Amino acid sequence: MADNNIYDAIIVGGGPAGLTAAIYLARARYRVLVLEKDRFGGQITITHEVVNYPGIESTSGEALTETMRVQAANFGAEFMLAEVKGIEANDTIKTVSTSKGDFKAFALLIATGANPRHIGFEGESEFRGRGVAYCATCDGEFFTGKELLVIGGGYASAEEAMFLTRYASKVTILVRKDAFSCAKSIADEVMAHPKIEVKFNHELKSIEGTDMGIVKAHIYDNKNDTSFEYTASNQDTFGVFVFAGYVPNTSLVKDIVALDESGYIITDSDMQTNVKGVFAAGDVCIKGLRQVVTATADGALAACAMEKVAAAAHESTGIIPVVPNATRKAPQESVSVKASASATTDGSFVTEDMIPQLNAVFERMESAITLEVCSDGSDKGSELLSAMNEIAALSDKITVTQGSCDDMPAVRLVKNGQFTGLSFHGVPGGHEFTSFILGLYNASGPGQAVDDADMQRIKSIAAPTKIQVLISLSCTMCPDLVVAAQRIASLNDNVTTEVYDLNLFPALRDKYKVMSVPCLVVNEEHISFGRKNMSELLDIILK
């Protein structure tokens, strides 16, 4: 019996493990749904350069996982951005409860990954975003010309320390043990770098600072049982980047499947947990090496075993999920347009390969939008005007006018002669290109889907609310917050969302003491740092 309301497999988590499993299951013509809370790609999307994935000489984490996502979608995998609230896994048909409803499947894969570990030294929380950072790609440029401490002795620490030498005057790596835990070739490269000093058997205990940033660190030598104070050689402020491992995201299943003492999921050789039909893959599992290649291997193993579970369920229940047509794309709420990694040869803003993706979005727009460009006559102002004209040339639903506003250059989105509350200060390229296009789609309508609970909270915002999102175009974690803030503004006239490229507005960076992005400022008072989804942002606004 065919059934449109059930899946063969549901995958919770859209990183390399989950995406690989989706590729295998969808290619085998099983119906599969991938659920992701924030953005597809996982932790690897913040890695600037991946050079050890077999068959690909060099790429970025975001580009690699986006290729995986498209590949899975083309085989027929379905994708949804939703937060999983609960799981019922005791029966043949499992139920996954999410912020967008309940979904059922014969097999479940938990691929929720892990988050960067906060190691708990004194001052870590106090200076997060103002000297303490966890993403070299996102925040490295804020420390140009400064000295840095890097905490950790693994692969991530070594690779990110190398990346940070592009900006820092000096990098000192503190390794708690007596050697790196990464490959010797990488460790040797780090040790030989003229800008890097490595201190083995050293631990960061505390940091001190002022409103301007971190000025002092207390470091413990655990081999000689001595301590000393670290200050920058030029008495300037310095930064601390933490790459000290990860904490598994297993709170969702801690009472459902067996975990080890560190909170990682225990699986067998087929990646199945102690609960029949429930599998786990990727960084959420026990393993000796946490890399993309091991995550994809886990996903492939799990998928092959999940196929057998689904096939057996077809026989025992008589229910066969209806598989969508292959070559389908991600659903409408997952609109994605990838900006060119480098400038085109003719200097244009929109590349040829982007045009079909843009047209697909513009065709769904309901109302005309005017891009009101506020140019200050600078080179960036002229670049912004040219870029907006290129976008407008692709659709008769988009026009460009010139105006004047605070903090130029900027572009304001106007509908029916009224400001929509959405504006971008700078040129929305790099990682913010997609979020800008989504802003157009959300302002015009129908926009991205919002679950009922969040919609009620958005409508309840009665006081004027000014949201500023301070970003850099190289930040891979910024677009999630930008899209959420813009969507809220598009749905409530009491809310405005202004996005700023901090490279063009140093006065804002100084005003809010920003050394990490994204930085969220609500009503010029509440300041917080880091990626946030819509529910988390609403918690702050409605506090």
Side-chain angles (χ1 to χ4, degrees), residues 433-451:
F433 184 82
T434 295
S435 60
F436 180 75
I437 298 302
L438 280 171
L440 285 174
Y441 178 57
N442 287 329
S444 169
Q448 296 169 284
V450 177
D451 70 67

Side-chain angles (χ1 to χ4, degrees), residues 4 34 39 121 189 202-203 311 350 362 382 464 502 510 516 541:
N4 281 306
V34 184
R39 66 184 311 217
F121 56 84
E189 187 177 1
H202 281 71
E203 303 173 35
V350 177
F362 297 156
S382 298
L502 275 187
D510 295 341
S516 179
I541 295 172

Side-chain angles (χ1 to χ4, degrees), residues 398-450:
I398 304 173
T399 57
V400 175
T401 62
Q402 295 190 54
S404 180
C405 55
D406 295 334
D407 300 326
M408 298 185 285
V411 54
R412 293 157 45 98
L413 274 57
V414 175
K415 181 171 72 172
N416 298 327
Q418 298 295 317
F419 176 45
T420 63
L422 282 66
S423 63
F424 190 98
H425 299 262
V427 181
H431 289 294
E432 291 305 326
F433 184 82
T434 295
S435 60
F436 180 75
I437 298 302
L438 280 171
L440 285 174
Y441 178 57
N442 287 329
S444 169
Q448 296 169 284
V450 177

Side-chain angles (χ1 to χ4, degrees), residues 93-110:
I93 298 177
K94 324 295 184 186
T95 301
V96 179
S97 299
T98 80
S99 57
K100 295 182 179 177
D102 293 350
F103 301 91
K104 297 181 181 296
F106 297 127
L108 300 181
L109 176 63
I110 308 302

Side-chain angles (χ1 to χ4, degrees), residues 23 202 267 316 376 496 499 518:
I23 291 171
H202 281 71
T267 67
S316 64
D376 52 2
T496 61
V499 183

Side-chain angles (χ1 to χ4, degrees), residues 40 80 126 143 213 215 227 267 322 332 339 348 358 366 380 397 407 410 415 417 475 493-494 526:
F40 295 102
M80 179 176 291
E126 178 186 354
F143 296 88
V215 297
S227 299
T267 67
V322 177
Q332 291 186 4
S348 60
L358 289 169
E366 291 180 343
K380 278 294 177 183
K397 297 176 184 176
D407 300 326
K415 181 171 72 172
C475 173
D493 292 340
N494 294 318
H526 179 94

Side-chain angles (χ1 to χ4, degrees), residues 37-353:
K37 176 182 178 182
D38 294 316
R39 66 184 311 217
F40 295 102
Q43 285 289 334
I44 193 63
T45 58
I46 69 173
T47 299
H48 175 75
E49 187 175 31
V50 177
V51 295
N52 60 348
Y53 191 79
I56 299 178
E57 187 172 357
S58 179
T59 186
S60 68
E62 183 177 32
L64 179 62
T65 52
E66 174 61 10
T67 300
M68 295 179 185
R69 187 195 66 79
V70 171
Q71 188 176 4
N74 287 344
F75 281 129
E78 300 170 61
F79 293 84
M80 179 176 291
L81 288 173
E83 181 177 1
V84 176
K85 305 288 190 178
I87 291 173
E88 295 180 8
N90 292 327
D91 298 327
T92 299
I93 298 177
K94 324 295 184 186
T95 301
V96 179
S97 299
T98 80
S99 57
K100 295 182 179 177
D102 293 350
F103 301 91
K104 297 181 181 296
F106 297 127
L108 300 181
L109 176 63
I110 308 302
T112 46
N115 287 326
R117 183 183 301 277
H118 294 190
I119 59 179
F121 56 84
E122 186 177 341
E124 181 176 12
S125 297
E126 178 186 354
F127 286 96
R128 183 186 179 193
R130 294 194 171 99
V132 175
Y134 303 86
C135 175
T137 305
C138 300
D139 302 329
E141 62 187 301
F142 294 112
F143 296 88
T144 299
K146 293 182 179 290
E147 295 184 12
L148 295 177
L149 295 179
V150 169
I151 315 302
Y155 177 86
S157 173
E159 286 288 301
E160 302 293 18
M162 293 286 288
F163 178 80
L164 287 168
T165 60
R166 302 181 183 193
Y167 307 104
S169 59
K170 179 184 178 181
V171 176
T172 301
I173 305 178
L174 303 181
V175 183
R176 185 168 55 87
K177 298 181 179 180
D178 59 4
F180 281 109
S181 59
C182 60
K184 185 177 183 300
S185 59
I186 298 170
D188 289 346
E189 187 177 1
V190 170
M191 298 285 288
H193 198 288
K195 279 191 174 184
I196 297 178
E197 179 183 1
V198 182
K199 291 184 178 294
F200 294 110
N201 300 111
H202 281 71
E203 303 173 35
L204 179 62
K205 292 299 185 181
S206 66
I207 54 176
E208 300 176 21
T210 67
D211 287 343
M212 300 306 295
I214 302 169
V215 297
K216 185 184 297 184
H218 298 273
I219 298 173
Y220 173 61
D221 181 340
N222 60 36
K223 184 175 183 180
N224 298 309
D225 194 25
T226 59
S227 299
F228 64 94
E229 291 183 351
Y230 173 92
T231 58
S233 58
N234 59 359
Q235 303 305 307
D236 190 10
T237 59
F238 60 90
V240 176
F241 278 78
V242 179
F243 305 109
Y246 293 87
V247 178
N249 291 322
T250 51
S251 59
L252 180 68
V253 294
K254 62 183 177 62
D255 297 322
I256 299 174
V257 302
L259 310 178
D260 74 354
E261 63 277 5
S262 298
Y264 290 97
I265 298 176
I266 300 170
T267 67
D268 62 17
S269 58
D270 288 329
M271 309 310 298
Q272 186 165 225
T273 70
N274 62 308
V275 178
K276 185 177 180 180
V278 180
F279 298 76
D283 285 356
V284 77
C285 299
I286 301 168
K287 55 172 58 187
L289 180 65
R290 288 185 167 82
Q291 294 278 284
V292 178
V293 68
T294 63
T296 56
D298 288 352
L301 286 169
C304 291
M306 292 167 76
E307 291 176 19
K308 297 176 183 177
V309 170
H314 293 179
E315 292 289 332
S316 64
T317 67
I319 299 172
I320 301 176
V322 177
V323 179
N325 292 329
T327 71
R328 69 169 280 159
K329 303 299 181 183
Q332 291 186 4
E333 64 187 70
S334 299
V335 173
S336 179
V337 181
K338 294 299 173 183
S340 175
S342 58
T344 55
T345 55
D346 63 358
S348 60
F349 184 68
V350 177
T351 61
E352 287 294 327
D353 61 316

